[in-house]
Amino acid sequence: MSTPPAAAMPITERNGMPTMTRPSSATITVAPANTTASRFGTSLAPIADLDGDGRDEFIIAQADGTITVCDRNGRALSGWPFKTGHAIYHAPRIIDIDGDGRPDLVFTAWNPEGVGVRAGYIMALSRNGTPLAGYPKYIGKTVAPLTFADLNNNGYLEMIAAGGINYTGKQLHVFKTRARNHIKIAVLGQEVFFQ
């Protein structure tokens, strides 16, 4: 068995979940995109193929507002990390929010210096770490994850966010998106993609 390079984060298993350990001893638990595990008391780091190379990347959100996308060797991809400077309490959702066929990262952040609706917001980043047009969307203080659902049966998912803690804004926000619900299944060794 060979030793991984110093810059790599070897993947092991902890509590039945894949885990990456940085040389500095920081531990990152990962799971498929858009999953959470309450047994850890926090959101797990999602994985998704953001750069289109056929391999999943790790999306790491830290409480200090830093989001990093790393390859399987633990190296940050070009354009990352993205630093909000504000608290992030949940892993980003990986979803094609603008309908361009490429995955985006969407999350909520809390700005303790913000007043009123500027106390919290939704941020959407491209797979290259740049903010999407129209973001951030200010919703008041928030520590809740985002939910996506097709509320009006038009084929597009609405983005649902809780905000306005301590009366800093409306309590519930619903935004239209260009995201669709995609289903992938394996059929007799073939992958089929439904739109």
Side-chain angles (χ1 to χ4, degrees):
M1 185 169 172
S2 64
T3 304
M9 290 191 288
I11 299 174
T12 58
E13 190 171 304
R14 175 189 267 177
N15 295 327
M17 298 297 291
T19 301
M20 294 170 46
T21 304
R22 289 183 186 261
S24 65
S25 299
T27 300
I28 302 161
T29 304
V30 297
N34 299 329
T35 62
T36 59
S38 58
R39 69 182 180 175
F40 294 101
T42 185
S43 296
L44 299 173
I47 57 175
D49 180 13
L50 295 181
D51 62 7
D53 67 356
R55 297 181 185 163
D56 287 338
E57 286 77 43
F58 299 93
I59 297 91
I60 304 162
Q62 296 174 259
D64 71 355
T66 302
I67 295 182
T68 306
V69 175
C70 297
D71 65 17
R72 67 185 190 169
N73 295 314
R75 294 182 191 93
L77 298 185
S78 178
W80 300 95
F82 179 85
K83 298 183 180 205
T84 67
H86 303 122
I88 299 173
Y89 289 94
H90 296 276
R93 297 290 305 264
I94 312 304
I95 189 166
D96 177 15
I97 198 163
D98 56 4
D100 67 357
R102 295 182 298 254
D104 305 305
L105 284 72
V106 188
F107 59 92
T108 58
W110 171 43
N111 175 5
E113 290 87 34
V115 176
V117 295
R118 293 199 173 260
Y121 55 91
I122 300 167
M123 177 57 82
L125 303 173
S126 73
R127 64 189 185 155
N128 299 319
T130 57
L132 296 181
Y135 289 88
K137 294 186 182 300
Y138 293 99
I139 60 172
K141 182 179 177 182
T142 182
V143 295
L146 294 167
T147 300
F148 290 88
D150 184 1
L151 298 176
N152 57 7
N153 282 333
N154 69 350
Y156 294 98
L157 301 176
E158 281 73 40
M159 178 171 53
I160 305 153
I165 296 173
N166 296 333
Y167 303 103
T168 56
K170 294 188 309 185
Q171 303 293 301
L172 184 64
H173 304 265
V174 178
F175 298 97
K176 292 180 180 181
T177 74
R178 300 299 297 168
R180 291 187 174 271
N181 219 356
H182 296 284
I183 300 171
K184 286 185 179 181
I185 60 173
V187 179
L188 300 174
Q190 297 277 337
E191 184 177 31
V192 179
F193 189 72
F194 295 95
Q195 292 191 27

